[in-house]
Amino acid sequence: MVDYEKLKQIRNMGFIKHTGIKTLQILHGYGIFHILLDDRHANPIGSTHGGVLFTLVDTVGGAAATSRGRYVTTVSGNINYLRPAMNCKKLIGESREIKIGKK
């Protein structure tokens, strides 16, 4: 049985703690996180830095993957930015597992 409260604490440690990303919910195969944005998260043109967006995506995806009690790490990633996150105060990331297993 997975201790979701402990998993929430672990998901808010290390690098993630410095980004401002916070856990809202982790369930079996599911995660939802948010980040309150400020000047630290902006790129030189004033939109949210792509690295912030990718970090949110990686964090929430990893939470869904680890929600079954296994430790996982990202081995590759890809993101397509459709438009800038301009004038945002908060971003929410939500993930659901679509496949379980190594292959």
Side-chain angles (χ1 to χ4, degrees):
M1 180 135 197
V2 178
D3 182 346
Y4 292 112
E5 287 306 312
K6 183 177 179 184
L7 189 55
K8 284 181 192 178
Q9 292 171 0
I10 291 170
R11 299 305 303 175
N12 291 323
M13 294 171 61
F15 172 71
I16 298 167
K17 174 177 66 174
H18 298 288
T19 65
I21 295 172
K22 302 290 183 200
T23 306
L24 294 177
Q25 189 173 39
I26 298 177
L27 299 172
H28 207 67
Y30 175 81
I32 187 165
F33 289 63
H34 79 270
I35 182 171
L36 301 176
L37 300 170
D38 59 39
D39 292 341
R40 299 173 299 154
H41 303 103
N43 65 22
I45 65 166
S47 66
T48 304
H49 192 285
V52 173
L53 298 170
F54 199 96
T55 299
L56 179 61
V57 168
D58 188 49
T59 301
V60 73
T66 59
S67 68
R68 295 185 185 275
R70 287 181 257 147
Y71 289 104
V72 299
T73 187
T74 304
V75 294
S76 70
N78 183 18
I79 191 168
N80 295 307
Y81 300 101
L82 302 178
R83 65 177 157 193
M86 299 284 292
N87 304 314
C88 298
K89 300 288 183 199
K90 178 169 140 180
L91 296 174
I92 298 171
E94 180 179 19
S95 66
R96 286 183 176 79
E97 268 187 338
I98 56 172
K99 183 186 177 310
I100 302 164
K102 293 182 180 183
K103 298 181 181 183

